[in-house]
mmCIF file with all atom_site columns, all heavy atoms in Angstrom:
data_model
loop_
_atom_site.group_PDB
_atom_site.id
_atom_site.type_symbol
_atom_site.label_atom_id
_atom_site.label_alt_id
_atom_site.label_comp_id
_atom_site.label_asym_id
_atom_site.label_entity_id
_atom_site.label_seq_id
_atom_site.pdbx_PDB_ins_code
_atom_site.Cartn_x
_atom_site.Cartn_y
_atom_site.Cartn_z
_atom_site.occupancy
_atom_site.B_iso_or_equiv
_atom_site.pdbx_formal_charge
_atom_site.auth_seq_id
_atom_site.auth_comp_id
_atom_site.auth_asym_id
_atom_site.auth_atom_id
_atom_site.pdbx_PDB_model_num
ATOM 1   N N   . CYS A 1 12  ? -40.832 -3.709  30.630 1.00 92.00 ? 239 CYS A N   1
ATOM 2   C CA  . CYS A 1 12  ? -39.719 -3.517  31.603 1.00 92.00 ? 239 CYS A CA  1
ATOM 3   C C   . CYS A 1 12  ? -40.000 -4.190  32.928 1.00 92.00 ? 239 CYS A C   1
ATOM 4   O O   . CYS A 1 12  ? -39.076 -4.790  33.505 1.00 92.00 ? 239 CYS A O   1
ATOM 5   C CB  . CYS A 1 12  ? -39.466 -1.996  31.755 1.00 92.00 ? 239 CYS A CB  1
ATOM 6   S SG  . CYS A 1 12  ? -38.762 -1.177  30.335 1.00 92.00 ? 239 CYS A SG  1
ATOM 7   N N   . VAL A 1 16  ? -37.781 -7.065  34.818 1.00 91.00 ? 243 VAL A N   1
ATOM 8   C CA  . VAL A 1 16  ? -37.326 -6.874  36.168 1.00 91.00 ? 243 VAL A CA  1
ATOM 9   C C   . VAL A 1 16  ? -37.798 -8.116  37.048 1.00 91.00 ? 243 VAL A C   1
ATOM 10  O O   . VAL A 1 16  ? -37.023 -8.688  37.726 1.00 91.00 ? 243 VAL A O   1
ATOM 11  C CB  . VAL A 1 16  ? -37.845 -5.539  36.776 1.00 91.00 ? 243 VAL A CB  1
ATOM 12  C CG1 . VAL A 1 16  ? -37.578 -5.547  38.267 1.00 91.00 ? 243 VAL A CG1 1
ATOM 13  C CG2 . VAL A 1 16  ? -37.202 -4.416  36.074 1.00 91.00 ? 243 VAL A CG2 1
ATOM 14  N N   . GLY A 1 23  ? -38.181 -12.129 43.314 1.00 84.00 ? 250 GLY A N   1
ATOM 15  C CA  . GLY A 1 23  ? -39.313 -11.647 42.535 1.00 84.00 ? 250 GLY A CA  1
ATOM 16  C C   . GLY A 1 23  ? -39.853 -12.702 41.515 1.00 84.00 ? 250 GLY A C   1
ATOM 17  O O   . GLY A 1 23  ? -41.112 -12.772 41.235 1.00 84.00 ? 250 GLY A O   1
ATOM 18  N N   . CYS A 1 24  ? -38.913 -13.431 40.915 1.00 82.00 ? 251 CYS A N   1
ATOM 19  C CA  . CYS A 1 24  ? -39.392 -14.399 39.878 1.00 82.00 ? 251 CYS A CA  1
ATOM 20  C C   . CYS A 1 24  ? -40.147 -15.597 40.450 1.00 82.00 ? 251 CYS A C   1
ATOM 21  O O   . CYS A 1 24  ? -40.841 -16.214 39.730 1.00 82.00 ? 251 CYS A O   1
ATOM 22  C CB  . CYS A 1 24  ? -38.198 -14.877 39.081 1.00 82.00 ? 251 CYS A CB  1
ATOM 23  S SG  . CYS A 1 24  ? -37.074 -15.932 40.030 1.00 82.00 ? 251 CYS A SG  1
ATOM 24  N N   . TYR A 1 33  ? -39.887 2.345   40.052 1.00 90.00 ? 260 TYR A N   1
ATOM 25  C CA  . TYR A 1 33  ? -38.917 2.991   39.143 1.00 90.00 ? 260 TYR A CA  1
ATOM 26  C C   . TYR A 1 33  ? -38.953 4.469   39.474 1.00 90.00 ? 260 TYR A C   1
ATOM 27  O O   . TYR A 1 33  ? -39.933 5.050   39.869 1.00 90.00 ? 260 TYR A O   1
ATOM 28  C CB  . TYR A 1 33  ? -39.177 2.716   37.700 1.00 90.00 ? 260 TYR A CB  1
ATOM 29  C CG  . TYR A 1 33  ? -40.495 3.242   37.115 1.00 90.00 ? 260 TYR A CG  1
ATOM 30  C CD1 . TYR A 1 33  ? -40.487 4.396   36.369 1.00 90.00 ? 260 TYR A CD1 1
ATOM 31  C CD2 . TYR A 1 33  ? -41.665 2.611   37.312 1.00 90.00 ? 260 TYR A CD2 1
ATOM 32  C CE1 . TYR A 1 33  ? -41.689 4.958   35.870 1.00 90.00 ? 260 TYR A CE1 1
ATOM 33  C CE2 . TYR A 1 33  ? -42.859 3.125   36.778 1.00 90.00 ? 260 TYR A CE2 1
ATOM 34  C CZ  . TYR A 1 33  ? -42.853 4.262   36.084 1.00 90.00 ? 260 TYR A CZ  1
ATOM 35  O OH  . TYR A 1 33  ? -44.014 4.756   35.573 1.00 90.00 ? 260 TYR A OH  1
ATOM 36  N N   . GLY A 1 43  ? -23.401 5.335   52.988 1.00 88.00 ? 270 GLY A N   1
ATOM 37  C CA  . GLY A 1 43  ? -22.382 4.319   53.342 1.00 88.00 ? 270 GLY A CA  1
ATOM 38  C C   . GLY A 1 43  ? -22.913 3.253   54.277 1.00 88.00 ? 270 GLY A C   1
ATOM 39  O O   . GLY A 1 43  ? -22.449 2.211   54.389 1.00 88.00 ? 270 GLY A O   1
ATOM 40  N N   . PHE A 1 52  ? -34.664 7.085   48.604 1.00 92.00 ? 279 PHE A N   1
ATOM 41  C CA  . PHE A 1 52  ? -35.051 8.041   47.584 1.00 92.00 ? 279 PHE A CA  1
ATOM 42  C C   . PHE A 1 52  ? -34.969 9.450   48.253 1.00 92.00 ? 279 PHE A C   1
ATOM 43  O O   . PHE A 1 52  ? -35.315 9.638   49.423 1.00 92.00 ? 279 PHE A O   1
ATOM 44  C CB  . PHE A 1 52  ? -36.455 7.765   47.115 1.00 92.00 ? 279 PHE A CB  1
ATOM 45  C CG  . PHE A 1 52  ? -36.673 6.343   46.612 1.00 92.00 ? 279 PHE A CG  1
ATOM 46  C CD1 . PHE A 1 52  ? -37.400 5.387   47.271 1.00 92.00 ? 279 PHE A CD1 1
ATOM 47  C CD2 . PHE A 1 52  ? -36.124 6.070   45.357 1.00 92.00 ? 279 PHE A CD2 1
ATOM 48  C CE1 . PHE A 1 52  ? -37.542 4.164   46.771 1.00 92.00 ? 279 PHE A CE1 1
ATOM 49  C CE2 . PHE A 1 52  ? -36.262 4.764   44.834 1.00 92.00 ? 279 PHE A CE2 1
ATOM 50  C CZ  . PHE A 1 52  ? -36.964 3.847   45.546 1.00 92.00 ? 279 PHE A CZ  1
ATOM 51  N N   . VAL A 1 58  ? -41.172 8.707   42.835 1.00 91.00 ? 285 VAL A N   1
ATOM 52  C CA  . VAL A 1 58  ? -41.117 7.286   42.794 1.00 91.00 ? 285 VAL A CA  1
ATOM 53  C C   . VAL A 1 58  ? -42.462 6.809   42.192 1.00 91.00 ? 285 VAL A C   1
ATOM 54  O O   . VAL A 1 58  ? -43.566 7.153   42.665 1.00 91.00 ? 285 VAL A O   1
ATOM 55  C CB  . VAL A 1 58  ? -40.949 6.692   44.256 1.00 91.00 ? 285 VAL A CB  1
ATOM 56  C CG1 . VAL A 1 58  ? -41.027 5.190   44.249 1.00 91.00 ? 285 VAL A CG1 1
ATOM 57  C CG2 . VAL A 1 58  ? -39.650 7.174   44.854 1.00 91.00 ? 285 VAL A CG2 1
ATOM 58  N N   . LYS A 1 66  ? -45.806 -13.609 35.958 1.00 88.00 ? 293 LYS A N   1
ATOM 59  C CA  . LYS A 1 66  ? -44.934 -13.599 34.812 1.00 88.00 ? 293 LYS A CA  1
ATOM 60  C C   . LYS A 1 66  ? -45.656 -13.941 33.536 1.00 88.00 ? 293 LYS A C   1
ATOM 61  O O   . LYS A 1 66  ? -46.366 -14.898 33.482 1.00 88.00 ? 293 LYS A O   1
ATOM 62  C CB  . LYS A 1 66  ? -43.745 -14.576 35.051 1.00 88.00 ? 293 LYS A CB  1
ATOM 63  C CG  . LYS A 1 66  ? -42.773 -14.719 33.934 1.00 88.00 ? 293 LYS A CG  1
ATOM 64  C CD  . LYS A 1 66  ? -41.618 -15.682 34.352 1.00 88.00 ? 293 LYS A CD  1
ATOM 65  C CE  . LYS A 1 66  ? -40.784 -16.044 33.178 1.00 88.00 ? 293 LYS A CE  1
ATOM 66  N NZ  . LYS A 1 66  ? -39.763 -17.037 33.540 1.00 88.00 ? 293 LYS A NZ  1
ATOM 67  N N   . ILE A 1 67  ? -45.430 -13.113 32.487 1.00 88.00 ? 294 ILE A N   1
ATOM 68  C CA  . ILE A 1 67  ? -46.000 -13.433 31.160 1.00 88.00 ? 294 ILE A CA  1
ATOM 69  C C   . ILE A 1 67  ? -44.804 -13.897 30.286 1.00 88.00 ? 294 ILE A C   1
ATOM 70  O O   . ILE A 1 67  ? -43.953 -13.106 29.881 1.00 88.00 ? 294 ILE A O   1
ATOM 71  C CB  . ILE A 1 67  ? -46.676 -12.169 30.579 1.00 88.00 ? 294 ILE A CB  1
ATOM 72  C CG1 . ILE A 1 67  ? -47.723 -11.666 31.539 1.00 88.00 ? 294 ILE A CG1 1
ATOM 73  C CG2 . ILE A 1 67  ? -47.249 -12.504 29.199 1.00 88.00 ? 294 ILE A CG2 1
ATOM 74  C CD1 . ILE A 1 67  ? -48.350 -10.332 31.119 1.00 88.00 ? 294 ILE A CD1 1
ATOM 75  N N   . ASN A 1 68  ? -44.761 -15.185 30.040 1.00 89.00 ? 295 ASN A N   1
ATOM 76  C CA  . ASN A 1 68  ? -43.702 -15.820 29.303 1.00 89.00 ? 295 ASN A CA  1
ATOM 77  C C   . ASN A 1 68  ? -43.528 -15.262 27.867 1.00 89.00 ? 295 ASN A C   1
ATOM 78  O O   . ASN A 1 68  ? -42.409 -15.159 27.368 1.00 89.00 ? 295 ASN A O   1
ATOM 79  C CB  . ASN A 1 68  ? -43.841 -17.377 29.255 1.00 89.00 ? 295 ASN A CB  1
ATOM 80  C CG  . ASN A 1 68  ? -43.430 -17.986 30.631 1.00 89.00 ? 295 ASN A CG  1
ATOM 81  O OD1 . ASN A 1 68  ? -42.626 -17.459 31.283 1.00 89.00 ? 295 ASN A OD1 1
ATOM 82  N ND2 . ASN A 1 68  ? -44.145 -19.078 30.975 1.00 89.00 ? 295 ASN A ND2 1
ATOM 83  N N   . VAL A 1 71  ? -41.494 -12.001 28.013 1.00 90.00 ? 298 VAL A N   1
ATOM 84  C CA  . VAL A 1 71  ? -40.077 -12.255 28.409 1.00 90.00 ? 298 VAL A CA  1
ATOM 85  C C   . VAL A 1 71  ? -39.376 -12.952 27.209 1.00 90.00 ? 298 VAL A C   1
ATOM 86  O O   . VAL A 1 71  ? -38.215 -12.520 26.921 1.00 90.00 ? 298 VAL A O   1
ATOM 87  C CB  . VAL A 1 71  ? -40.037 -13.077 29.674 1.00 90.00 ? 298 VAL A CB  1
ATOM 88  C CG1 . VAL A 1 71  ? -38.588 -13.405 30.057 1.00 90.00 ? 298 VAL A CG1 1
ATOM 89  C CG2 . VAL A 1 71  ? -40.629 -12.319 30.805 1.00 90.00 ? 298 VAL A CG2 1
ATOM 90  N N   . LYS A 1 76  ? -35.291 -12.701 22.950 1.00 93.00 ? 303 LYS A N   1
ATOM 91  C CA  . LYS A 1 76  ? -34.902 -12.958 21.528 1.00 93.00 ? 303 LYS A CA  1
ATOM 92  C C   . LYS A 1 76  ? -34.124 -11.810 20.944 1.00 93.00 ? 303 LYS A C   1
ATOM 93  O O   . LYS A 1 76  ? -33.319 -11.954 20.076 1.00 93.00 ? 303 LYS A O   1
ATOM 94  C CB  . LYS A 1 76  ? -36.029 -13.432 20.663 1.00 93.00 ? 303 LYS A CB  1
ATOM 95  C CG  . LYS A 1 76  ? -36.565 -14.784 20.939 1.00 93.00 ? 303 LYS A CG  1
ATOM 96  C CD  . LYS A 1 76  ? -37.784 -15.047 20.027 1.00 93.00 ? 303 LYS A CD  1
ATOM 97  C CE  . LYS A 1 76  ? -38.302 -16.382 20.362 1.00 93.00 ? 303 LYS A CE  1
ATOM 98  N NZ  . LYS A 1 76  ? -39.521 -16.693 19.505 1.00 93.00 ? 303 LYS A NZ  1
ATOM 99  N N   . ASP A 1 84  ? -15.166 -1.320  24.064 1.00 94.00 ? 311 ASP A N   1
ATOM 100 C CA  . ASP A 1 84  ? -13.838 -0.860  24.622 1.00 94.00 ? 311 ASP A CA  1
ATOM 101 C C   . ASP A 1 84  ? -14.081 0.586   25.119 1.00 94.00 ? 311 ASP A C   1
ATOM 102 O O   . ASP A 1 84  ? -13.919 1.554   24.385 1.00 94.00 ? 311 ASP A O   1
ATOM 103 C CB  . ASP A 1 84  ? -12.792 -0.903  23.598 1.00 94.00 ? 311 ASP A CB  1
ATOM 104 C CG  . ASP A 1 84  ? -11.436 -0.643  24.114 1.00 94.00 ? 311 ASP A CG  1
ATOM 105 O OD1 . ASP A 1 84  ? -11.322 -0.416  25.393 1.00 94.00 ? 311 ASP A OD1 1
ATOM 106 O OD2 . ASP A 1 84  ? -10.387 -0.645  23.456 1.00 94.00 ? 311 ASP A OD2 1
ATOM 107 N N   . ALA A 1 87  ? -11.095 3.201   24.879 1.00 96.00 ? 314 ALA A N   1
ATOM 108 C CA  . ALA A 1 87  ? -10.914 3.673   23.551 1.00 96.00 ? 314 ALA A CA  1
ATOM 109 C C   . ALA A 1 87  ? -12.045 4.660   23.130 1.00 96.00 ? 314 ALA A C   1
ATOM 110 O O   . ALA A 1 87  ? -11.664 5.734   22.464 1.00 96.00 ? 314 ALA A O   1
ATOM 111 C CB  . ALA A 1 87  ? -10.842 2.507   22.520 1.00 96.00 ? 314 ALA A CB  1
ATOM 112 N N   . ARG A 1 97  ? -11.096 17.894  21.929 1.00 98.00 ? 324 ARG A N   1
ATOM 113 C CA  . ARG A 1 97  ? -9.931  18.696  21.823 1.00 98.00 ? 324 ARG A CA  1
ATOM 114 C C   . ARG A 1 97  ? -9.799  19.370  20.416 1.00 98.00 ? 324 ARG A C   1
ATOM 115 O O   . ARG A 1 97  ? -9.458  20.505  20.305 1.00 98.00 ? 324 ARG A O   1
ATOM 116 C CB  . ARG A 1 97  ? -8.646  17.907  22.152 1.00 98.00 ? 324 ARG A CB  1
ATOM 117 C CG  . ARG A 1 97  ? -8.448  17.640  23.643 1.00 98.00 ? 324 ARG A CG  1
ATOM 118 C CD  . ARG A 1 97  ? -7.037  17.091  23.826 1.00 98.00 ? 324 ARG A CD  1
ATOM 119 N NE  . ARG A 1 97  ? -6.822  15.889  23.106 1.00 98.00 ? 324 ARG A NE  1
ATOM 120 C CZ  . ARG A 1 97  ? -6.951  14.638  23.491 1.00 98.00 ? 324 ARG A CZ  1
ATOM 121 N NH1 . ARG A 1 97  ? -7.448  14.388  24.752 1.00 98.00 ? 324 ARG A NH1 1
ATOM 122 N NH2 . ARG A 1 97  ? -6.656  13.602  22.738 1.00 98.00 ? 324 ARG A NH2 1
ATOM 123 N N   . LYS A 1 101 ? -9.758  23.287  19.546 1.00 98.00 ? 328 LYS A N   1
ATOM 124 C CA  . LYS A 1 101 ? -8.686  23.851  18.807 1.00 98.00 ? 328 LYS A CA  1
ATOM 125 C C   . LYS A 1 101 ? -9.247  24.652  17.582 1.00 98.00 ? 328 LYS A C   1
ATOM 126 O O   . LYS A 1 101 ? -8.742  25.789  17.331 1.00 98.00 ? 328 LYS A O   1
ATOM 127 C CB  . LYS A 1 101 ? -7.660  22.839  18.287 1.00 98.00 ? 328 LYS A CB  1
ATOM 128 C CG  . LYS A 1 101 ? -6.784  22.348  19.354 1.00 98.00 ? 328 LYS A CG  1
ATOM 129 C CD  . LYS A 1 101 ? -5.801  21.249  18.729 1.00 98.00 ? 328 LYS A CD  1
ATOM 130 C CE  . LYS A 1 101 ? -4.915  20.622  19.765 1.00 98.00 ? 328 LYS A CE  1
ATOM 131 N NZ  . LYS A 1 101 ? -4.001  19.593  19.181 1.00 98.00 ? 328 LYS A NZ  1
ATOM 132 N N   . LYS A 1 110 ? -10.583 35.609  13.497 1.00 97.00 ? 337 LYS A N   1
ATOM 133 C CA  . LYS A 1 110 ? -11.531 36.723  13.540 1.00 97.00 ? 337 LYS A CA  1
ATOM 134 C C   . LYS A 1 110 ? -10.896 37.986  14.220 1.00 97.00 ? 337 LYS A C   1
ATOM 135 O O   . LYS A 1 110 ? -11.076 39.101  13.759 1.00 97.00 ? 337 LYS A O   1
ATOM 136 C CB  . LYS A 1 110 ? -12.824 36.366  14.313 1.00 97.00 ? 337 LYS A CB  1
ATOM 137 C CG  . LYS A 1 110 ? -13.718 35.439  13.499 1.00 97.00 ? 337 LYS A CG  1
ATOM 138 C CD  . LYS A 1 110 ? -14.957 35.122  14.307 1.00 97.00 ? 337 LYS A CD  1
ATOM 139 C CE  . LYS A 1 110 ? -15.874 34.215  13.546 1.00 97.00 ? 337 LYS A CE  1
ATOM 140 N NZ  . LYS A 1 110 ? -17.068 33.836  14.385 1.00 97.00 ? 337 LYS A NZ  1
ATOM 141 N N   . GLU A 1 111 ? -10.117 37.723  15.271 1.00 97.00 ? 338 GLU A N   1
ATOM 142 C CA  . GLU A 1 111 ? -9.374  38.806  15.988 1.00 97.00 ? 338 GLU A CA  1
ATOM 143 C C   . GLU A 1 111 ? -8.424  39.492  15.016 1.00 97.00 ? 338 GLU A C   1
ATOM 144 O O   . GLU A 1 111 ? -8.326  40.756  14.999 1.00 97.00 ? 338 GLU A O   1
ATOM 145 C CB  . GLU A 1 111 ? -8.800  38.328  17.241 1.00 97.00 ? 338 GLU A CB  1
ATOM 146 C CG  . GLU A 1 111 ? -9.740  38.018  18.367 1.00 97.00 ? 338 GLU A CG  1
ATOM 147 C CD  . GLU A 1 111 ? -9.053  37.395  19.557 1.00 97.00 ? 338 GLU A CD  1
ATOM 148 O OE1 . GLU A 1 111 ? -7.869  37.228  19.570 1.00 97.00 ? 338 GLU A OE1 1
ATOM 149 O OE2 . GLU A 1 111 ? -9.769  37.089  20.521 1.00 97.00 ? 338 GLU A OE2 1
ATOM 150 N N   . ILE A 1 121 ? -8.909  51.253  8.622  1.00 88.00 ? 348 ILE A N   1
ATOM 151 C CA  . ILE A 1 121 ? -9.714  52.373  8.815  1.00 88.00 ? 348 ILE A CA  1
ATOM 152 C C   . ILE A 1 121 ? -8.982  53.503  9.429  1.00 88.00 ? 348 ILE A C   1
ATOM 153 O O   . ILE A 1 121 ? -9.108  54.674  9.071  1.00 88.00 ? 348 ILE A O   1
ATOM 154 C CB  . ILE A 1 121 ? -10.937 51.937  9.667  1.00 88.00 ? 348 ILE A CB  1
ATOM 155 C CG1 . ILE A 1 121 ? -11.872 51.028  8.862  1.00 88.00 ? 348 ILE A CG1 1
ATOM 156 C CG2 . ILE A 1 121 ? -11.771 53.196  10.158 1.00 88.00 ? 348 ILE A CG2 1
ATOM 157 C CD1 . ILE A 1 121 ? -12.970 50.435  9.687  1.00 88.00 ? 348 ILE A CD1 1
ATOM 158 N N   . ASN A 1 126 ? -6.141  58.860  9.067  1.00 80.00 ? 353 ASN A N   1
ATOM 159 C CA  . ASN A 1 126 ? -4.923  59.657  9.288  1.00 80.00 ? 353 ASN A CA  1
ATOM 160 C C   . ASN A 1 126 ? -4.236  60.160  8.052  1.00 80.00 ? 353 ASN A C   1
ATOM 161 O O   . ASN A 1 126 ? -3.224  60.907  8.166  1.00 80.00 ? 353 ASN A O   1
ATOM 162 C CB  . ASN A 1 126 ? -3.961  58.837  10.130 1.00 80.00 ? 353 ASN A CB  1
ATOM 163 C CG  . ASN A 1 126 ? -4.445  58.612  11.540 1.00 80.00 ? 353 ASN A CG  1
ATOM 164 O OD1 . ASN A 1 126 ? -5.276  59.277  12.046 1.00 80.00 ? 353 ASN A OD1 1
ATOM 165 N ND2 . ASN A 1 126 ? -3.961  57.566  12.170 1.00 80.00 ? 353 ASN A ND2 1
ATOM 166 N N   . SER A 1 129 ? -1.415  57.152  4.152  1.00 69.00 ? 356 SER A N   1
ATOM 167 C CA  . SER A 1 129 ? -1.077  56.610  2.801  1.00 69.00 ? 356 SER A CA  1
ATOM 168 C C   . SER A 1 129 ? -0.907  57.771  1.723  1.00 69.00 ? 356 SER A C   1
ATOM 169 O O   . SER A 1 129 ? -0.242  57.566  0.771  1.00 69.00 ? 356 SER A O   1
ATOM 170 C CB  . SER A 1 129 ? -2.142  55.659  2.359  1.00 69.00 ? 356 SER A CB  1
ATOM 171 O OG  . SER A 1 129 ? -3.364  56.341  2.236  1.00 69.00 ? 356 SER A OG  1
ATOM 172 N N   . LYS A 1 132 ? 3.154   60.211  1.651  1.00 73.00 ? 359 LYS A N   1
ATOM 173 C CA  . LYS A 1 132 ? 4.357   59.455  1.393  1.00 73.00 ? 359 LYS A CA  1
ATOM 174 C C   . LYS A 1 132 ? 5.130   60.295  0.342  1.00 73.00 ? 359 LYS A C   1
ATOM 175 O O   . LYS A 1 132 ? 4.608   61.101  -0.472 1.00 73.00 ? 359 LYS A O   1
ATOM 176 C CB  . LYS A 1 132 ? 4.095   58.153  0.721  1.00 73.00 ? 359 LYS A CB  1
ATOM 177 C CG  . LYS A 1 132 ? 3.440   57.185  1.733  1.00 73.00 ? 359 LYS A CG  1
ATOM 178 C CD  . LYS A 1 132 ? 3.241   55.788  1.129  1.00 73.00 ? 359 LYS A CD  1
ATOM 179 C CE  . LYS A 1 132 ? 2.583   54.919  2.100  1.00 73.00 ? 359 LYS A CE  1
ATOM 180 N NZ  . LYS A 1 132 ? 2.281   53.614  1.560  1.00 73.00 ? 359 LYS A NZ  1
#
Side-chain angles (χ1 to χ4, degrees):
C239 291
V243 168
C251 67
Y260 68 100
F279 305 108
V285 176
K293 178 178 168 184
I294 303 173
N295 284 327
V298 175
K303 286 180 185 177
D311 186 4
R324 283 192 304 266
K328 281 181 186 178
K337 286 181 180 179
E338 288 175 359
I348 291 172
N353 290 339
S356 61
K359 293 182 180 176

